Amino acid sequence: MTAGSGVLLVLLSLSGALRAHNGDLTARETCKAGFSEEDYTALISQNILEGEKVLKVKFSSCLGTKGTHYETNSMDFKVGADGTVFATRELRIPSEQVAFTVTAWDHQTAERWDAAVRLLVAQTSSTHSGHKKGKKNAALDPVQPPNDTLLPWPQHQSSNGLRRQKRDWVIPPINVPENSRGPFPQQLVRIRSDKDNDIPIRYSITGVGADQPPMEVFSIDSMSGRMYVTRPMDREERASYHLRAHAVDMNGNKVENPIDLYIYVIDMNDNRPEFLNQVYNGSVDEGSKPGTYVMTVTANDADDATTANGMVRYRIVTQTPQSPSQNMFTINSETGDIVTVAAGLDREKVQQYMVIIQATDMEGNLNYGLSNTATAIITVTDVNDNPPEFTTSTYAGEVPENRVEMVVANLTVMDRDQPHSPNWNAVYRIISGDPSGHFSVRTDPTTNEGMVTVVKAVDYELNRAFMLTVMVSNQAPLASGIQMSFQSTAGVTISVMDINEAPYFPSNHKLIRLEEGVPTGTVLTTFSAVDPDRFMQQAVRYSKLSDPANWLHINATNGQISTAAVLDRESLYIKNNVYEATFLAADNGIPPASGTGTLQIYLIDINDNAPELLPKEAQVCEKPSLNAINITAADADVDPNIGPYVFELPFVPASVRNNWTVTRLNGDYAQLSLRVLHLEAGVYDVPITVTDSGNPPLSHTSIIKVKVCPCDDNGDCTTVGAVAAAGLGTGAIVAILICIVMLLTMVLLFVVWMKRREKERHTKQLLIDPEDDVRDNILKYDEEGGGEEDQDYDLSQLQQPEAMEHVLSKAPGVRRVDERPVGAEPQYPVRPVVPHPGDIGDFINEGLRAADNDPTAPPYDSLLVFDYEGSGSTAGSVSSLDSSSSGDQDYDYLNDWGPRFKKLADMYGGGEED
């Protein structure tokens, strides 16, 4: 390429280059998946060989890079598994730069992330030319720029004076260390255009960190072009910045095209590794071989993982307990996988280990790296490496015969495995000594003991003892290589105790068959019981327990059953021809025992019941052609002692056969009808003889009361006819009516007599004749004054006297006072809480008596009866009056006063006597 077409590159050192950072910062960054940069830039030569590496991209997925795959949209460049970008073939780059996209995707979550890659072509000839021009212009500049000046905009004038447009410069990235201590603002670089010699130029920067959040991280002097960083940088907060520099004249017109500035924050080791958990829990089976995986611990470092600052290494600090070895586990320094390194893990000795894990960055350098610790708790899980063993080789127990669901022995075992786990839970099995399955061994879930239980009753007379062999095992099989112990079997001796068993009837229910009607005292059968206690000398006695008809008798010694009455098959105690009785057999053991047996007697029918006719009463019309009577024969016996039956009329009296005839319909039914053309209405007793088919046959003559009556056209008896048929004449009917009338008359007279008696009872309450009753003649007046001579009332006579001695000395009574007397008040009776009904009358009487004797009882101004009328009364004495005297006083005027004074007139007026 010619020199005229080259690109001028100027790379100057930063002001105050990289400084050492000695502080231990505590910045932390939350893991976020993605590329470390949004875009990557690298300088490459124009000619590239196949497989040549051009740059390396960094991607973090927070879970490692094992599941991350890379791809590009360029056919010329690919990305390796470690993020290295290389050429797929030999290339010659014809253009100034190559741009393509790198994509990272996780095959588990299918997430994708993109980053832009720009490869800039470096041309040496152009670079030399640019340097020369830059130096020349600098010499003409009256103010020499410092050694950190960038000339991103080259001159645009050729040697012949013609101006042509050249390509812009590409500024290499600016590296800034994080956590710088300043002072701030700290100059990074100076940017200037070669046109500032001709016109004043203003410089500015835009982008994230300048005019976009975070704001004002970077600033630029608009006149000199010096760019500064204003505060310490934190790579964990943001790793790179992309700014654009602008040059305009004083009027704001663009002088140069904007250029890109890439600022990278250099990582410092300011973050310790952080474990995802402070406590990790893992487990490993006891007896595991060395190299068995246990668990994985993980620590993340927020620093750059591509540098030693973020490379974490693990190691075990301590192990507790240090048994059987102090190094039972080891850890992979890079992956954090913990594995066993020694044999001898035994849960019965050590159930849990506590391991302290340390994570250190700087690739594990303890002198320069930062460290952190976490605890790994490793539980040794149980395996069935200890077979259960009986604590003794023999056990003993006893059981009463005929008992079930009874624990007769407890078998104790010892198992050193983890309690209440399948490796510890015992399972018992009887391997010999119980062919009939009388016993079962159940496991107590709490104590793990074996409970020998009777599940099938044992009989002392058959087996007096059992010798069992029991084997114990676990629910889980034994671990590989572990054999059963000889102590896993034991012998169990069980003795059977003899008890008094109840006698039993071998044939229960026993059924016998015989004809009914056997005479009393007939021996029917022997119903004997058996005593199962063969080794006890006991006697059995028999008695009746249930004999509803009291027909049977049993011999108390031998159980022989005989009849005590005649057995009747037609009895109400027979059900389906069977009579059932229950008997009791009891021994004389201690305590005595008894058993019951049932005897069923099937009675065979004999012809001992004559047939009967139904119905007993009937009616028929006096004309034979109208209707007939259907009769039925019934027999309490059963076949063959029942029908067919023979129906016939007796020969005596002869009128029966003359007036009636019987026609057989079938074996059980016949029809009775009139033989004559007309029979007088009335009630007739018709005898009919019926004979069954038994051997020998039985006959019976039944009387049927037949009412013969006149009938209407429908064949029904008329009312008059029914009465006539009943045998009542006109005289009888009249007599019945007269009796009814007399009965009603007597009832009416009795009612009238009762009413009169009630009236007389009320009338006798008056002692005098109503005409002589003067109660209605006595009037009550409100004035008590006398005549004209007694019009001046002296009210002082009604007041309380000055001296009350003569009043108080009188007998107790009701007195009139104007004020409440002062004195002891009488005690009124107290009503009981739960009074008796008989006490109510006494309570009322006592209350009335107390109220009458109470001078303090209100009202005080009531009109009462007074016995004090004052002293010196002008009223004359009335003691001289004599109701029986016959003085000169004339009382005839009383006759003129009306009927109300008639009684007085009769007594004193000497009127006419009735």
Side-chain angles (χ1 to χ4, degrees):
M1 298 180 65
T2 62
S5 61
V7 177
L8 179 62
L9 297 177
V10 178
L11 179 60
L12 299 177
S13 62
L14 296 177
S15 172
L18 299 179
R19 294 179 172 84
H21 180 67
N22 298 324
D24 183 10
L25 302 181
T26 59
R28 296 294 182 263
E29 179 180 22
T30 302
C31 180
K32 181 178 180 182
F35 286 97
S36 61
E37 308 292 340
E38 296 179 356
D39 47 53
Y40 295 86
T41 305
L43 296 176
I44 61 173
S45 62
Q46 191 173 21
N47 298 318
I48 300 177
L49 300 177
E50 180 179 358
E52 181 178 349
K53 300 178 181 179
V54 294
L55 81 160
K56 184 177 182 180
V57 296
K58 176 188 174 184
F59 178 81
S60 174
S61 65
C62 298
L63 298 177
T65 59
K66 295 181 180 179
T68 305
H69 297 272
Y70 300 96
E71 60 184 22
T72 68
N73 61 353
S74 173
M75 298 298 295
D76 299 329
F77 298 94
K78 296 297 180 184
V79 183
D82 60 347
T84 302
V85 180
F86 59 91
T88 58
R89 58 188 178 89
E90 187 177 350
L91 298 173
R92 179 178 177 81
I93 308 300
S95 59
E96 300 175 357
Q97 65 180 11
V98 176
F100 55 89
T101 302
V102 175
T103 301
W105 62 279
D106 191 331
H107 71 283
Q108 294 180 351
T109 62
E111 292 186 87
R112 304 175 71 90
W113 297 267
D114 295 330
V117 175
R118 185 165 59 172
L119 303 179
L120 305 177
V121 179
Q123 298 176 353
T124 56
S125 59
S126 154
T127 302
H128 296 163
S129 174
H131 275 295
K132 293 179 181 179
K133 293 181 179 181
K135 290 181 180 180
K136 181 179 180 181
N137 293 336
L140 299 176
D141 191 355
V143 179
Q144 294 294 331
N147 57 359
D148 59 351
T149 301
L150 296 178
L151 298 176
W153 296 286
Q155 294 182 359
H156 302 285
Q157 185 173 1
S158 63
S159 58
N160 56 7
L162 296 176
R163 299 179 60 89
R164 63 173 182 154
Q165 182 68 32
K166 291 186 178 181
R167 292 171 295 182
D168 294 338
W169 287 14
V170 177
I171 306 302
I174 303 171
N175 295 322
V176 180
E178 66 172 334
N179 304 322
S180 175
R181 296 186 177 181
F184 296 99
Q186 180 180 357
Q187 181 175 339
L188 297 180
V189 71
R190 180 184 179 189
I191 303 173
R192 61 179 294 267
S193 173
D194 57 359
K195 294 183 179 180
D196 62 355
N197 296 324
D198 302 327
I199 58 175
I201 295 178
R202 288 184 177 274
Y203 302 97
S204 64
I205 55 176
T206 59
V208 176
D211 59 348
Q212 299 177 18
M215 307 285 286
E216 299 180 353
V217 177
F218 303 97
S219 63
I220 190 172
D221 188 321
S222 61
M223 300 305 296
S224 64
R226 289 183 175 86
M227 192 172 74
Y228 302 91
V229 59
T230 61
R231 61 192 182 196
M233 309 293 289
D234 188 355
R235 192 202 66 85
E236 287 72 40
E237 180 180 348
R238 190 176 183 86
S240 65
Y241 296 86
H242 179 198
L243 304 177
R244 305 203 76 182
H246 304 270
V248 297
D249 59 15
M250 301 305 291
N251 295 324
N253 298 320
K254 181 174 68 173
V255 176
E256 302 285 357
N257 292 328
I259 62 172
D260 293 323
L261 299 177
Y262 293 93
I263 302 172
Y264 294 104
V265 182
I266 301 174
D267 182 48
M268 307 294 289
N269 189 19
D270 58 345
N271 292 280
R272 294 178 181 274
E274 291 290 339
F275 284 95
L276 299 182
N277 301 294
Q278 281 301 310
V279 178
Y280 290 84
N281 291 283
S283 62
V284 61
D285 290 340
E286 61 176 329
S288 296
K289 298 179 180 179
T292 303
Y293 172 80
V294 180
M295 69 166 83
T296 299
V297 297
T298 303
N300 294 324
D301 196 316
D303 292 325
D304 190 356
T306 61
T307 66
N309 297 335
M311 295 181 180
V312 180
R313 298 294 182 264
Y314 305 92
R315 73 184 187 95
I316 294 178
V317 179
T318 60
Q319 168 195 305
T320 305
Q322 298 180 358
S323 174
S325 172
Q326 62 180 359
N327 295 318
M328 295 297 297
F329 307 95
T330 186
I331 187 169
N332 188 304
S333 62
E334 295 185 1
T335 62
D337 294 339
I338 300 177
V339 297
T340 60
V341 72
L345 290 172
D346 190 350
R347 190 204 65 85
E348 286 71 39
K349 295 180 180 179
V350 179
Q351 297 183 3
Q352 193 176 79
Y353 289 91
M354 183 177 294
V355 179
I356 305 300
I357 309 297
Q358 184 183 56
T360 307
D361 57 16
M362 298 299 292
E363 297 183 281
N365 191 319
L366 298 178
N367 295 325
Y368 304 103
L370 302 178
S371 300
N372 216 334
T373 59
T375 302
I377 298 177
I378 302 174
T379 302
V380 181
T381 56
D382 183 49
V383 298
N384 195 11
D385 57 346
N386 294 281
E389 298 177 347
F390 286 104
T391 58
T392 183
S393 59
T394 57
Y395 297 87
E398 59 180 9
V399 56
E401 61 177 335
N402 302 323
R403 292 283 298 274
V404 294
E405 296 301 325
M406 177 181 178
V407 177
V408 297
N410 287 331
L411 312 182
T412 56
V413 296
M414 180 183 64
D415 195 322
R416 290 176 293 177
D417 290 320
Q418 184 175 357
H420 304 290
S421 68
N423 300 330
W424 179 83
N425 295 335
V427 178
Y428 299 89
R429 182 166 58 93
I430 299 175
I431 58 178
S432 65
D434 185 24
S436 301
H438 291 283
F439 302 95
S440 174
V441 184
R442 301 168 181 171
T443 304
D444 188 320
T446 303
T447 64
N448 213 28
E449 294 181 354
M451 300 179 294
V452 182
T453 308
V454 182
V455 296
K456 182 179 178 182
V458 295
D459 191 350
Y460 177 81
E461 286 71 30
L462 298 178
N463 301 97
R464 298 188 182 184
F466 292 87
M467 299 293 295
L468 308 180
T469 301
V470 180
M471 184 176 68
V472 62
S473 59
N474 293 123
Q475 289 180 352
L478 291 174
S480 177
I482 305 299
Q483 301 296 328
M484 290 292 294
S485 172
F486 71 93
Q487 295 180 348
S488 296
T489 58
V492 182
T493 302
I494 300 176
S495 301
V496 181
M497 297 184 298
D498 190 18
I499 62 173
N500 185 25
E501 299 178 79
Y504 67 93
F505 292 89
S507 54
N508 195 20
H509 299 18
K510 184 176 183 179
L511 177 65
I512 62 174
R513 301 171 64 92
L514 72 154
E515 289 186 349
E516 65 174 328
V518 295
T520 302
T522 302
V523 177
L524 302 182
T525 184
T526 299
F527 196 26
S528 59
V530 177
D531 192 347
D533 297 315
R534 294 177 297 171
F535 302 100
M536 297 181 183
Q537 301 299 325
Q538 299 179 151
V540 179
R541 303 284 295 180
Y542 301 92
S543 61
K544 288 194 303 183
L545 191 63
S546 173
D547 183 11
N550 202 22
W551 285 346
L552 304 177
H553 172 75
I554 186 169
N555 189 299
T557 304
N558 57 16
Q560 188 180 73
I561 297 177
S562 59
T563 60
V566 177
L567 279 63
D568 185 5
R569 192 201 63 84
E570 290 76 30
S571 172
L572 297 177
Y573 300 104
I574 302 297
K575 292 181 175 55
N576 299 325
N577 300 328
V578 176
Y579 180 74
E580 190 171 275
T582 305
F583 299 92
L584 183 70
D587 60 20
N588 58 350
I590 300 175
S594 60
T596 60
T598 301
L599 177 66
Q600 293 179 331
I601 304 174
Y602 186 89
L603 295 178
I604 301 173
D605 184 47
I606 63 174
N607 193 16
D608 58 345
N609 293 279
E612 296 284 342
L613 286 181
L614 295 174
K616 299 297 183 181
E617 296 181 356
Q619 69 179 18
V620 67
C621 293
E622 57 186 2
K623 296 182 180 180
S625 59
L626 293 179
N627 53 17
I629 300 172
N630 293 324
I631 57 177
T632 303
D635 197 328
D637 295 323
V638 295
D639 189 62
N641 297 320
I642 52 177
Y645 299 99
V646 177
F647 303 89
E648 57 184 353
L649 298 174
F651 291 95
V652 179
S655 60
V656 175
R657 284 183 171 266
N658 295 334
N659 296 334
W660 305 93
T661 181
V662 174
T663 304
R664 178 179 173 183
L665 300 178
N666 55 30
D668 297 334
Y669 300 96
Q671 196 172 67
L672 176 66
S673 59
L674 288 174
R675 179 186 293 273
V676 296
L677 296 178
H678 181 270
L679 187 64
E680 184 179 355
V683 178
Y684 298 87
D685 292 335
V686 181
I688 300 177
T689 302
V690 57
T691 305
D692 60 21
S693 299
N695 186 18
L698 294 179
S699 299
H700 181 262
T701 300
S702 299
I703 303 299
I704 299 179
K705 290 186 175 294
V706 181
K707 296 180 181 179
V708 179
C709 61
C711 298
D712 54 17
D713 296 338
N714 297 325
D716 298 327
C717 287
T718 61
T719 304
V720 177
V723 174
L728 298 177
T730 304
I733 296 175
V734 172
I736 292 173
L737 293 176
I738 291 174
C739 291
I740 294 173
V741 171
M742 292 178 64
L743 181 61
L744 294 176
T745 302
M746 293 176 63
V747 171
L748 181 60
L749 291 175
F750 178 76
V751 171
V752 172
W753 178 77
M754 289 297 295
K755 288 184 174 294
R756 183 175 181 82
R757 184 178 179 182
E758 180 70 18
K759 184 176 180 181
E760 290 177 354
R761 186 174 64 84
H762 288 290
T763 304
K764 289 182 179 180
Q765 294 179 358
L766 299 177
L767 300 179
I768 59 177
D769 187 76
E771 297 179 356
D772 298 333
D773 188 5
V774 297
R775 288 179 296 176
D776 293 338
N777 299 330
I778 297 176
L779 300 178
K780 180 180 180 181
Y781 294 92
D782 293 332
E783 63 178 18
E784 298 180 356
E788 294 80 358
E789 298 177 357
D790 195 17
Q791 295 299 319
D792 296 329
Y793 299 106
D794 185 7
L795 297 180
S796 63
Q797 301 297 323
L798 300 179
Q799 302 296 328
Q800 183 174 357
E802 298 177 0
M804 294 292 293
E805 290 79 3
H806 66 283
V807 177
L808 296 177
S809 61
K810 292 186 177 182
V814 181
R815 301 176 177 85
R816 197 275 186 195
V817 292
D818 293 330
E819 296 180 359
R820 177 184 178 92
V822 178
E825 298 182 359
Q827 296 295 326
Y828 286 85
V830 179
R831 184 177 182 182
V833 178
V834 183
H836 188 274
D839 298 337
I840 296 177
D842 297 339
F843 174 80
I844 295 176
N845 293 331
E846 292 177 5
L848 291 175
R849 188 180 303 110
D852 292 339
N853 297 328
D854 184 7
T856 64
Y860 309 115
D861 295 333
S862 299
L863 180 62
L864 303 176
V865 178
F866 296 92
D867 57 353
Y868 175 74
E869 297 181 355
S871 59
S873 175
T874 58
S877 175
V878 295
S879 59
S880 60
L881 292 177
D882 187 2
S883 61
S884 60
S885 67
S886 56
D888 297 332
Q889 180 70 28
D890 186 8
Y891 297 101
D892 292 338
Y893 59 89
L894 294 176
N895 294 323
D896 300 333
W897 287 6
R900 295 182 179 276
F901 294 88
K902 184 176 183 300
K903 191 65 176 178
L904 291 176
D906 293 339
M907 294 175 60
Y908 297 98
E912 297 180 359
E913 300 201 5
D914 296 340

